[in-house]
Amino acid sequence: MGQGHAETYKKLPNAELVAICDKDAGWLELCRERWEAPHAFSDYREMLELGDLEAISIALPTFLHLPVALAAFEKGKHVLVEKPMAMNAAEGEQMAAAAKAAGKTLMISLNQRFDADVQFLKRYIQEGHLGDVYFARTLWRRPLGGLPSPTLNRPSGIYSGRNWFNEAAKGGGVLRDLGAHVIDVALWLMGYPELEDAVGRAYTQFLPDFLSGTQLIGDADDHSVGFARFKNGASLQIEASFGQHIDHDELITEVFGSKGGAIRWSGRPLKLFGQVSGAYTTTEPRLQERRSSVQEEFVSSVLEGRPPLVTPEQGIAATRIMDAIYSGGGSSASPR
Ligand SMILES: NC(=O)c1ccc[n+]([C@@H]2O[C@H](COP(=O)([O-])OP(=O)(O)OC[C@H]3O[C@@H](n4cnc5c(N)ncnc54)[C@H](O)[C@@H]3O)[C@@H](O)[C@H]2O)c1
C-alpha cells in the first residue's frame, strides 16, 4: 500500500513527497528510485526528525500502526493511517487521544468510501430516499484461491519472507483486511449509529492446512462473521472471507430503510429500490462522480484545518465491532 500512497502524493498539486521509509533495504532503494524520493530511511524514528516532513502515511503491518502514529504525533506530524486503524478499539482510542493532544490530523485510509457508487449512495441516503435505515448487510468473500500467499514476494524479488496477513499477532486476518472495508462502508451509509452490542465468530478454517509443511504461522482468521445491533434499533450483518467454497469474489453492501433499499454488488450496476405512487420501482442510477482519493482528502483536510472524511471516532467504532467478533460476543469483551 505504501506504493499507492507514494504514487498518489506524487500526483497531488498541493503535496510534495519528501521521504519514504522501509526496513527492507533493497526494497527501499528500489522505491527511492521509483518515486524519486529526496530522503529514504530504514528507521522511521530517523525519518520523523525531518523538519520538512509535515505529514506521514502509515502503510505498515497493522500491529505497527499505533507505535508509529504515537511517535509521529510526538514529533508534530499529521497522520494518515491504513485500515484498520489499530489492533483493537483501545489502541484506536490511544491513537486518537495522541492526535488530539498534539493538535494534529488523524485520518484512516478507508478508500472504498471514495468509490463512485458509495459516494452516490451516501448522498442518496442523506437525502432521505431510503427513509429510516433499519438493516444492512455487508460482505467481502473470496473463493478458496484467495487465501494470502504464504510469503510476501516483491516484483523485484528483493523482498521475501513470512506473510504477516496470516499471523494474528501482526494484525493479519480477513476481518481486519477485507472486513475493515465493508464494515466501514456499511456503517458510513447507516450514519455510524451508536453500537449497542455485537457478536460473531472468527474462524481459522483453511490456513493451517494451506501452510502445513512450511513452518510458517497461520493462526489468523480466514473467515469471520458478525452481527451488530445499534441503539437506534438498526442492525448489521457482516461476513468476510479469504476463502470459501464459492466460484468468484463477492463484494456486497445492501442497505434497507423504511422507504427503499439499495444494493451494491461488485461488478454490477448499483440498484435502488423504492415505491413511486404505490408501485415498487427498481432503478440503476447513472453515476458521474469525480473520484477523489484518500490522500487528496487527507491533504485537503490538513490544509483547510477541518476534520477529514474518515474520523478517528469512526475508526474506533468500526474496530469495536471487530473486537466483539474476535472475542466471540459482547462488545465489551476483551479483544483478541
Ligand atoms: N486500503 C487498502 O485497500 C489496503 C489494502 C491492503 C493493505 N492495506 C493495509 O495497509 C497496511 C500495509 O499492508 P501492505 O499490504 O502494504 O503490507 P506489506 O507487507 O506489503 O508492506 C508492509 C511494508 O512495511 C515494511 N515494514 C515492516 N516493518 C517495518 C518497520 N518496522 N519499519 C519500516 N518498515 C517496515 C515491510 O518491509 C513492507 O515493505 C496494513 O495495515 C493493511 O491492512 C490497506
Side-chain angles (χ1 to χ4, degrees):
M1 281 312 288
Q3 299 293 300
H5 284 263
E7 184 177 5
T8 316
Y9 286 129
K10 287 289 282 187
K11 288 183 189 155
L12 289 181
N14 54 359
E16 195 184 333
L17 184 71
V18 179
I20 56 170
C21 173
D22 200 290
K23 71 169 186 181
D24 183 298
W27 179 238
L28 180 67
E29 182 51 24
L30 200 108
C31 293
R32 191 188 61 73
E33 277 173 28
R34 181 178 295 166
W35 305 116
E36 297 169 339
H39 301 280
F41 297 89
S42 54
D43 185 335
Y44 68 88
R45 289 177 200 85
E46 283 176 25
M47 181 178 77
L48 292 174
E49 295 296 335
L50 265 187
D52 277 359
L53 188 66
E54 292 173 282
I56 64 162
S57 274
I58 301 177
L60 292 166
T62 301
F63 77 107
L64 293 169
H65 290 185
L66 179 67
V68 178
L70 294 182
F73 290 130
E74 209 167 286
K75 294 291 174 189
K77 318 293 183 195
H78 303 279
V79 171
L80 173 61
V81 64
E82 264 304 338
K83 48 54 56 176
M85 74 185 293
M87 294 291 281
N88 51 52
E91 281 196 358
E93 279 166 0
Q94 217 183 319
M95 194 186 288
K100 202 170 173 194
K104 296 293 163 188
T105 299
L106 170 60
M107 176 170 158
I108 327 303
S109 182
L110 284 152
N111 44 358
Q112 289 213 2
R113 283 204 201 177
F114 296 83
D115 176 273
D117 283 0
V118 176
Q119 290 271 324
F120 173 89
L121 213 45
K122 178 66 184 171
R123 264 210 311 279
Y124 190 76
I125 293 170
Q126 269 175 334
E127 286 164 5
H129 298 290
L130 297 194
D132 293 327
V133 172
Y134 61 89
F135 175 67
R137 174 175 172 248
T138 200
L139 69 88
W140 193 346
R141 59 186 180 198
R142 291 187 170 150
L144 275 170
L147 289 170
S149 62
T151 54
L152 282 173
N153 296 303
R154 300 290 187 216
S156 60
I158 289 170
Y159 181 107
S160 65
R162 294 148 51 171
N163 189 346
W164 66 270
F165 276 101
N166 294 325
E167 300 183 24
K170 299 262 171 78
V174 72
L175 188 63
R176 292 188 175 113
D177 186 21
L178 308 184
H181 284 295
V182 291
I183 291 173
D184 175 70
V185 165
L187 289 177
W188 191 51
L189 294 176
M190 296 173 87
Y192 260 90
E194 201 181 334
L195 185 67
E196 185 174 302
D197 55 20
V199 291
R201 187 150 285 178
Y203 298 81
T204 305
Q205 187 70 26
F206 299 107
L207 273 176
D209 264 3
F210 182 62
L211 297 178
S212 70
T214 64
Q215 312 286 326
L216 297 168
I217 299 171
D219 61 353
D221 57 309
D222 50 28
H223 177 77
S224 280
V225 292
F227 187 74
R229 301 192 301 179
F230 303 96
K231 289 189 176 160
N232 67 357
S235 59
L236 172 65
Q237 187 182 314
I238 299 155
E239 189 179 331
S241 191
F242 275 148
Q244 268 189 345
H245 290 101
I246 53 173
D247 59 1
H248 61 276
D249 205 315
E250 286 183 333
L251 171 58
I252 299 172
T253 298
E254 301 174 337
V255 186
F256 301 99
S258 52
K259 294 205 296 199
I263 295 189
R264 175 197 181 223
W265 283 52
S266 51
R268 298 191 202 174
L270 181 65
K271 275 197 176 174
L272 306 170
F273 303 88
Q275 249 181 308
V276 176
S277 314
Y280 291 107
T281 60
T282 305
T283 50
E284 291 177 6
R286 287 192 160 273
L287 306 180
Q288 289 176 338
E289 309 282 326
R290 183 188 155 271
R291 289 185 69 162
S292 169
S293 68
V294 162
Q295 292 79 8
E296 187 178 341
E297 165 62 12
F298 173 58
V299 170
S300 302
S301 68
V302 167
L303 293 175
E304 292 162 20
R306 60 167 173 81
L309 180 71
V310 191
T311 65
E313 292 71 28
Q314 292 169 345
I316 295 165
T319 313
R320 192 159 283 129
I321 293 178
M322 291 188 233
D323 289 353
I325 294 174
Y326 279 132
S327 66
S331 49
S332 57
S334 40
R336 169 165 160 168

